[in-house]
Amino acid sequence: MRGNYIHQETGWFADAQYLQTDLDTSFDSKTVQYGGSVGKYFAPTSIVSLGFMRTEDDINGDNSRYTLSNFHAQEIGDDRFFDAGFAVSYLDQEREDDGYLVELASTYYPTKKLGVGLRGAYAHVGEKDEFTYGATSEYFVNENLAFNASYTRLDSKADGFSIASNVFQFGTKVRF
Amino acid sequence: MKTYLSLAAALFATSALPASAQNLETNLSLAFTDTQFSKNVSPDSTSYRVQAGATYYLTPLDYGHGPYALAAFYGRNLSVSASYSLGEYKPKGMRLI
């Protein structure tokens, strides 16, 4: 669940979210995440925000994330646009050394209906280094219907141990 | 097969919806994950996740300024949203210590 509020005159905004994950295996576990952010439109299409996210996990312990982020969108002529976002987070970990996360993302819109983007992130937590990168695309057939797809690659390396994941996502949006 | 055809027909029928005063956005997504581990700590795995969600905008979306995908950002729309996902994790083999 998520909600946001924006004060139209000043551009200040706040949002809050809550997420619960239940894992049903040979043992049951639950993860609860909650947090929010406060920020401001410092220009018509530019925002900066400060966020906090708390994760309470039966298996991995309780962790907190403090994030400073910005996002900017701009027209570059002929109904073409681009956006770009940058975020840096401090990761307060209960069961391993604290770490940090740096995220970059940008999307190019050759028309108002189509967006193609790239994103990447690097995290260092405890003894672990994680690179995440991928591509996204979304096409609006019209104002009511959109299709999107994305690919994300995760490479995680620790002391003599590595994990590699490929995530393929397909989705649709309907607006009424 | 009829189910898939009905779903596709329902999606494209949205083209007939009025293009103005849009306050509600629903979304449906499907994700597949394939994970490989370097050592015998955990078995390689595959998983999938289906997610459905809805966002209600307190004021209608406006497409006059930016990309359709950023309509809520350009319009500074207040919103509330909820989503639910269901997934399954399948280990490949039994290499757990």
Side-chain angles (χ1 to χ4, degrees):
Chain A
M1 289 184 292
R2 181 178 181 278
N4 77 329
Y5 173 79
I6 304 170
H7 189 260
Q8 302 294 328
E9 286 73 29
T10 62
W12 282 97
F13 65 87
D15 65 58
Q17 57 184 304
Y18 175 87
L19 173 68
Q20 180 175 320
T21 305
D22 292 314
L23 188 62
D24 180 18
T25 60
S26 54
F27 56 90
D28 293 339
S29 74
K30 185 170 82 172
T31 301
V32 171
Q33 290 180 292
Y34 54 89
S37 66
V38 175
K40 190 177 191 309
Y41 280 79
F42 63 87
T45 58
S46 296
I47 58 173
V48 62
S49 67
L50 273 171
F52 168 77
M53 177 64 72
R54 175 76 171 170
T55 302
E56 297 176 354
D57 187 316
D58 290 347
I59 298 174
N60 297 312
D62 299 341
N63 305 314
S64 298
R65 174 191 296 192
Y66 305 88
T67 301
L68 172 64
S69 63
N70 78 341
F71 181 80
H72 174 74
Q74 185 172 328
E75 183 172 8
I76 52 177
D78 300 327
D79 259 2
R80 294 175 298 133
F81 299 81
F82 85 95
D83 69 41
F86 173 76
V88 57
S89 302
Y90 178 76
L91 308 175
D92 183 3
Q93 306 294 107
E94 182 186 45
R95 297 183 183 172
E96 54 191 341
D97 292 342
D98 294 352
Y100 61 90
L101 166 68
V102 179
E103 299 167 279
L104 278 168
S106 185
T107 302
Y108 170 65
Y109 303 90
T111 72
K112 282 188 171 184
K113 293 182 175 180
L114 175 65
V116 288
L118 294 172
R119 61 190 179 194
Y122 170 72
H124 178 79
V125 180
E127 302 296 318
K128 188 170 56 183
D129 291 298
E130 282 189 356
F131 287 97
T132 306
Y133 50 94
T136 62
S137 65
E138 183 167 53
Y139 176 67
F140 279 79
V141 177
N142 52 42
E143 293 177 0
N144 300 109
L145 177 65
F147 295 99
N148 54 65
S150 69
Y151 167 73
T152 305
R153 169 78 178 186
L154 165 72
D155 286 307
S156 179
K157 293 181 181 177
D159 188 20
F161 174 71
S162 67
I163 303 171
S165 281
N166 298 295
V167 183
F168 301 90
Q169 178 267 326
F170 308 92
T172 182
K173 289 179 185 172
V174 179
R175 288 173 172 171
F176 302 93
Chain B
M1 189 61 178
K2 280 185 177 177
T3 304
Y4 295 123
L5 288 174
S6 299
L7 181 61
L11 284 173
F12 282 99
T14 60
S15 302
L17 290 171
S20 59
Q22 293 176 333
N23 288 75
L24 182 65
E25 176 180 293
T26 60
N27 64 77
L28 181 69
S29 69
L30 180 61
F32 300 94
T33 303
D34 179 67
T35 304
Q36 299 95 39
F37 293 83
S38 64
K39 288 188 175 179
N40 297 340
V41 173
S42 178
D44 293 349
S45 66
T46 58
S47 66
Y48 76 88
R49 188 185 77 248
V50 179
Q51 176 171 315
T55 299
Y56 180 75
Y57 298 101
L58 276 63
T59 51
L61 292 171
D62 179 1
Y63 296 96
H65 303 290
Y68 289 7
L70 298 180
F73 173 74
Y74 272 78
R76 303 187 181 188
N77 294 73
L78 280 62
S79 66
V80 290
S81 60
S83 65
Y84 183 81
S85 66
L86 196 62
E88 185 173 342
Y89 168 86
K90 292 181 179 178
K92 297 177 183 175
M94 295 296 292
R95 291 198 289 136
L96 286 167
I97 291 175

